[in-house]
Amino acid sequence: MKELIGTTGLILNEPLLWEKGKKGRCGYSLPGRDVESFPLDNELTGEGPDFPDLSEVDVVRHYTRLSQWNFGVDTGMYPLGSCTMKYSPKTNERQAGLSGFAGAHPLLPSDFSQGTLRIMFELEQYLAEITGLDAVTLQPAAGAHGELTGMLVIHAYHKNRGAQRSKILVPDTAHGTNPATATLCNYRSIQVNSNEDGILSVESVADVMDEDTAGIMLTNPNTLGLFEENIRQIAEIVHSKGGIVYCDGANLNAVMGIVKMGKIGVDVMHLNLHKTFSTPHGGGGPGSGPVCVKKHLEPFLPVPRVVEEEGRFRLSYNYPQSIGKVQAFHGNIGVMIKAYSYIRSMGPKDLKKASRLAVLNANYIKESLKDTLHLAYDRPCMHECVFSDEKQKDDNVTTLDMAKRLMDYGFHPPTVYFPLVVHGAIMIEPTETESKEDIDKFIEAFKAIANEAKENPDLLHDAPCKSKVRRLDEVSAARKPCLTG
Ligand SMILES: *Cc1c(COP(=O)(O)O)cnc(C)c1O
């Protein structure tokens, strides 16, 4: 096997700190006491937890080694489809860490938090501009939370019109969180199947849309990485029956500043700031899922909202039809500041360029690998492309085998077995932040793996061979994790 990036060598084992400690070791030394000793209270000197004694270098090596078992965007390419694992410029992190922002208490009166409130106010305006919608809430803490907020807004809208509806249309190419959100809001999801091009046909929506249906919840670009080209006519049909068009905008990275969703019929849309707008994610850290809406849905947005009066900013609760609060305080401010900093440092031209490059990179991979892997839909894609293991069937090699083997070549595997509409799916999203050289190495690795599938399939069944742990029983690994390394 050819080495593509540094994938072998010093992966060091590391015991638990308790196993590593030796009585009497010390991580610091204090200067000698120059005052009288004084007996402490018994409560302070009694039996404490049995912390191990460690030297400074013990501790530094311990945590550094653990960090080296991890893989992130700062380590290498992370082409996890649907997740937009792009590199986030460090400057945005720096702005969010400025003490004026990071140290501000969320209960500060507005007179003392004008800077933060202004950033929130302007960020809402930028997101409205980018999506072509009219009003924005920054409260939701993640994409799925944004979906729930958006659905609650739709629910409140129908209730306010005097007739609650019982169903919602959800395409088979929607993200899995979409039907879950609809169910949480007590809507029954009606699945609409995509056509042979991987998108929704106008007829399939017309067939099922009726006046007991609250609207449609679609993902655009959808989870096949394809743009819903019929969205305008679909929106017309939904609107003609009094429904609302919800767009899951977590895939906005493909169309920033290029498609104004508000102009093509979308009424509500959530964004994932932690995917598109420069917050690293994947470790369960804070996210942000703003919801953008058209004017007629604005009264239902969560409170408080940031308002401006004569150049001063304050929080207002004066929205009697609001669905209420969906998150503590202002939401995840740090993520908002990173998004603000990203948008301001990129500007309109470079946001568009980022999306264009994300689309170009995905199409480059699609074209380069389509002789190696079966391409589910052979048409131009947006920010991600979906293959399957169809061509490797005869070699008895599966998507999982190839994904695991990719780790031996030094790449994080792509998303596998999702979307469900493609059997054995391999969903690759390179993002705009990968260089052509790195993408070429990734393509080369996949070609080498497809060769191995023909010549030595057993090698792939055993993969990964070079990682710290070999192939795990994933169910047991998730349910009974072994935390001792
Ligand atoms: C990631 C994603 C979500 C969910 O976002 P979270 O922040 O993980 O809750 C929803 N829809 C799509 C299309 C996504 O890619």
Side-chain angles (χ1 to χ4, degrees):
M1 162 185 172
K2 187 180 160 204
E3 293 293 334
L4 286 183
I5 50 184
T7 52
T8 50
L10 294 170
I11 304 178
L12 300 168
N13 288 321
E14 184 62 15
L16 293 179
L17 284 178
W18 273 266
E19 292 160 15
K20 198 167 172 169
K22 278 272 175 316
K23 271 278 165 262
R25 277 202 195 150
C26 186
Y28 57 88
S29 43
L30 295 176
R33 173 163 46 78
D34 60 1
V35 290
E36 289 285 295
S37 76
F38 188 81
L40 281 174
D41 221 306
N42 268 350
E43 275 155 46
L44 291 176
T45 57
E47 284 284 297
D50 180 25
F51 287 133
D53 293 4
L54 296 152
S55 67
E56 179 175 315
V57 68
D58 283 340
V59 176
V60 168
R61 286 196 179 148
H62 179 74
Y63 288 107
T64 305
R65 285 177 187 172
L66 294 191
S67 77
Q68 287 169 341
W69 295 353
N70 212 339
F71 187 90
V73 173
D74 286 0
T75 330
M77 186 168 166
Y78 205 135
L80 202 61
S82 201
C83 297
T84 313
M85 305 300 282
K86 66 188 194 181
Y87 176 79
S88 297
K90 297 285 177 255
T91 180
N92 304 322
E93 205 68 58
R94 212 165 293 137
Q95 317 314 324
L98 290 174
S99 60
F101 295 127
H105 193 282
L107 292 178
L108 273 179
S110 59
D111 277 350
F112 297 110
S113 51
Q114 284 296 299
T116 304
L117 292 175
R118 176 171 163 196
I119 281 187
M120 292 176 68
F121 187 83
E122 291 182 358
L123 178 60
E124 286 182 5
Q125 290 183 322
Y126 297 154
L127 297 179
E129 162 95 27
I130 291 168
T131 55
L133 290 158
D134 302 314
V136 180
T137 175
L138 300 170
Q139 266 186 44
H145 194 195
E147 288 174 36
L148 178 63
T149 306
M151 268 298 131
L152 289 172
V153 165
I154 294 177
H155 198 270
Y157 166 82
H158 284 300
K159 191 167 168 210
N160 185 56
R161 300 210 325 162
Q164 195 45 267
R165 302 181 170 204
S166 75
K167 298 179 287 183
I168 187 120
L169 308 183
V170 183
D172 58 356
T173 50
H175 195 261
T177 45
N178 296 179
T181 298
T183 305
L184 263 181
C185 291
N186 218 10
Y187 286 127
R188 194 153 49 86
S189 329
I190 306 296
Q191 183 170 316
V192 192
N193 290 335
S194 43
N195 64 15
E196 64 285 354
D197 289 333
I199 57 173
L200 284 181
S201 70
V202 180
E203 299 72 43
S204 62
V205 175
D207 282 349
V208 281
M209 185 63 207
D210 61 19
E211 280 170 9
D212 187 33
T213 302
I216 189 166
M217 193 175 191
L218 47 77
T219 303
N220 197 19
N222 69 25
T223 57
L224 290 166
L226 302 174
F227 193 81
E228 291 292 351
E229 289 166 12
N230 302 319
I231 187 162
R232 247 182 227 272
Q233 290 125 295
I234 289 171
E236 272 169 28
I237 291 169
V238 172
H239 290 150
S240 72
K241 305 271 180 183
I244 299 282
V245 177
Y246 185 102
C247 177
D248 176 331
N251 292 335
L252 187 81
N253 208 47
V255 293
M256 279 187 293
I258 296 170
V259 178
K260 295 218 165 180
M261 293 291 175
K263 292 237 162 79
I264 55 174
V266 169
D267 304 300
V268 191
M269 180 178 186
H270 85 263
L271 309 176
N272 278 29
L273 297 189
H274 48 292
K275 284 179 182 166
T276 317
F277 294 101
S278 197
T279 282
H281 60 288
S288 178
V291 175
C292 316
V293 297
K294 283 233 172 94
K295 200 90 196 143
H296 60 293
L297 297 168
E298 183 175 7
F300 307 102
L301 285 180
V303 282
R305 313 259 333 266
V306 185
V307 292
E308 185 199 5
E309 275 154 11
E310 292 161 13
R312 306 286 296 167
F313 300 91
R314 65 179 176 84
L315 294 174
S316 168
Y317 285 82
N318 191 19
Y319 294 87
Q321 293 178 311
S322 162
I323 60 166
K325 225 169 169 348
V326 297
Q327 163 78 334
F329 303 121
H330 305 59
N332 285 327
I333 279 287
V335 182
M336 296 173 206
I337 293 166
K338 283 182 251 187
Y340 181 88
S341 166
Y342 179 71
I343 292 171
R344 291 294 302 254
S345 58
M346 295 285 278
K349 250 172 71 194
D350 282 344
L351 283 180
K352 273 188 203 161
K353 189 170 165 197
S355 283
R356 290 197 173 115
L357 290 174
V359 170
L360 178 66
N361 286 352
N363 278 284
Y364 180 63
I365 290 183
K366 173 176 72 70
E367 288 303 309
S368 308
L369 281 178
K370 76 180 189 191
D371 293 332
T372 308
L373 296 168
H374 171 252
L375 182 61
Y377 295 88
D378 193 358
R379 52 197 304 254
C381 63
M382 302 298 287
H383 58 305
E384 58 199 4
C385 53
V386 182
F387 296 100
S388 82
D389 54 6
E390 181 86 28
K391 279 190 203 258
Q392 281 68 36
K393 255 204 186 113
D394 292 342
D395 308 321
N396 204 17
V397 162
T398 64
T399 289
L400 188 71
D401 297 329
M402 291 190 276
K404 296 290 185 195
R405 184 63 173 159
L406 211 45
M407 291 163 66
D408 288 333
Y409 283 89
F411 294 96
H412 192 286
T415 294
V416 293
Y417 301 106
F418 179 82
L420 303 177
V421 282
V422 175
H423 185 80
I426 303 170
M427 187 196 208
I428 302 171
E429 179 180 6
T431 83
E432 73 278 17
T433 58
E434 293 306 313
S435 65
K436 178 167 182 299
E437 290 73 22
D438 283 344
I439 294 177
D440 281 336
K441 283 185 198 150
F442 176 79
I443 291 166
E444 198 185 326
F446 240 123
K447 288 186 172 167
I449 292 170
N451 255 344
E452 288 172 345
K454 284 200 192 73
E455 285 161 15
N456 190 1
D458 283 343
L459 189 67
L460 299 202
H461 299 146
D462 282 344
C465 309
K466 296 181 165 192
S467 55
K468 183 151 187 332
V469 288
R470 303 290 296 270
R471 190 166 317 186
L472 299 172
D473 169 350
E474 294 188 345
V475 177
S476 312
R479 299 218 172 130
K480 291 186 217 148
C482 163
L483 301 175
T484 54

